[in-house]
């Protein structure tokens, strides 16, 4: 299939491009580079062994820009990663998050529909469960109260896409609810490259390891978890990328609406991650306990059985693979991608 990948220069999109090409698909990337670097696409092309990945530096809110792309290429489906994703920033800038994530998706869907492309895989998030009503979280767990505008954009966009499919059965909509993506391509050529101070645990750990930050702050050790620190379902980004290939097969089978948790089903605490990183990579990670971070929950991990039974997908990488590959990327690229 020929697939439009919005946000394809980002962390998850770039890894997914590799899995798509390995599975025999082709892709065209649309990204405004708001949170990414074009160097990533050259590296992806090298890993895949192609000259280049077709790329448009275009904002998905730019209707005319999208029109031009859809007039040049015929797409069988879209994998829609493009969006702003910083939880804290979304509290400071709610309008920007709703406008970019919801406005951008509405424009994208409008242009897709006009050009008869009615297949979409959407990057949703475990955050839509809020403080989950059940652990492990199944897809039947009710959606919860999000603690930030970013989470609400995901929750609302799930509803928007389901309603569109309900009104027009030609659509196939797959909502992938990612848990906590970490790791990097084993080559170490591509990986997570946050701007400024990392919000997420793994890039913070790798920046401490490489000497860019003094110590990790562990946000709370008084949660009702085995060691008191927060528990999450970390998933290797290469496994996560492969889930999109499996979801594409569901679209080829005309699945209608499909909703899947994409995690490993294992919960690891903050200290489990730190200890695994130190054990596998032989690098010290100094840390100190800080107060809880506003909006955090104690425990979040999924039951990934539905993705296995319906998509034939499951995660294969271990926690050791995740911490090894995260470090391999950061060690080789201490300052991320080179600036243009
Ligand atoms: P990322 O920031 O690395 O990638 C997103 C890409 O979208 C970036 O390259 C950015 O430049 C681009 N983009 C943003 N707004 C755009 C616009 N209006 N037009 C065109 N391009 C635009 O993030 P990621 O970690 O790769 O996440 C991909 C998707 O998965 C996002 O939708 C994110 O919300 C979702 N998600 C991520 C996580 C996570 O922890 N990384 C967890 C759950 C869901
Ligand atoms: N943590 C620390 N110190 C840090 C960063 C994080 O102790 O410097 C802890 C957090 O308190 C939490 C755990 O590490 O217990 C994981 O935190 P992350 O920020 O890495 O991830 P979250 O689970 O908070 O959220 C992430 C994304 C969300 C997404 C969610 C579910 O940031 O966008 O996973 O997919 F919605």
């Amino acid at each position: 299939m020929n697939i439009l990948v919005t946000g394809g220069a980002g962390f998850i999109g770039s890894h997914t491009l590799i899995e798509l090409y390995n599975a025999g698909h082709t892709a065209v990337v649309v990204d405004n580079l708001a949170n990414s670097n074009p160097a990533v696409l050259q590296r992806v092309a090298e890993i895949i062994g192609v000259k280049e990945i077709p790329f448009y530096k275009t904002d998905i809110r730019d209707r005319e820009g999208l029109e031009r792309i859809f007039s040049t290429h015929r797409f069988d489906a879209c994998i829609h990663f493009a969006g702003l994703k910083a939880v804290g920033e979304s509290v400071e800038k709610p309008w920007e998050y709703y406008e970019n994530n919801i406005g951008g998706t509405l424009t994208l869907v409008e242009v897709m529909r006009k050009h008869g492309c009615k297949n979409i895989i959407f990057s949703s998030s475990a955050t839509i469960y809020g403080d989950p009503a059940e652990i492990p979280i199944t897809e039947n767990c009710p959606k919860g109260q999000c603690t930030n505008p970013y989470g609400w954009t995901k929750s609302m966009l799930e509803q928007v896409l389901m309603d569109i499919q309900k009104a027009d059965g030609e659509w196939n909509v797959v909502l992938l609810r990612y848990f906590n993506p970490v790791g990097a391509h084993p080559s170490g050529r591509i990986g997570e490259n946050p701007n400024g101070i990392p919000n997420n645990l793994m890039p913070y750990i790798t920046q401490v390891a490489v000497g860019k930050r003094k110590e990790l702050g562990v946000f709370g050790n008084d949660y009702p978890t085995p060691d008191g620190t927060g528990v999450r379902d970390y998933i290797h980004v290469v496994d996560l990328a492969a889930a999109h290939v499996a979801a594409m097969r569901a679209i080829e089978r005309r699945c209608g609406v499909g909703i899947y948790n994409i995690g490993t089903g294992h919960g690891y605490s903050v200290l489990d991650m730190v200890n695994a990183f130190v054990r596998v990579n032989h690098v010290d990670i100094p840390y100190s306990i800080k107060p809880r971070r506003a909006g955090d929950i104690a425990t979040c991990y999924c039951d990934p059985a539905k993705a296995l039974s319906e998509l034939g997908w499951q995660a294969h990488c271990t926690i050791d693979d995740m911490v090894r590959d995260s470090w391999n990327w950061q060690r080789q690229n201490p300052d991320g991608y080179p600036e243009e």
Side-chain angles (χ1 to χ4, degrees), residues 6-13 30-36 58-61 80-85 100-101 104 122-126 150 154 178-181 192 200:
T6 74
F11 172 45
I12 303 170
V30 170
D31 198 303
N32 66 358
L33 304 180
N35 195 38
S36 48
T58 300
D59 194 298
I60 57 164
R61 292 166 295 177
H80 178 30
F81 295 105
L84 300 175
K85 64 161 185 175
N100 190 79
N101 292 4
F122 175 63
S123 300
S124 188
S125 168
Y150 164 74
K154 294 295 176 193
Y178 310 156
F179 280 65
N180 289 58
E192 191 169 8
N200 296 118

Side-chain angles (χ1 to χ4, degrees), residues 202-239:
M202 185 56 83
Y204 208 105
I205 291 177
T206 60
Q207 291 199 8
V208 171
V210 84
K212 293 181 87 167
R213 318 250 159 228
K214 204 161 81 26
E215 63 167 20
L216 171 73
V218 175
F219 298 143
N221 66 348
D222 56 353
Y223 285 106
T225 61
D227 65 17
T229 66
V231 166
R232 296 291 182 273
D233 189 333
Y234 296 95
I235 174 168
H236 196 296
V237 65
V238 173
D239 277 333

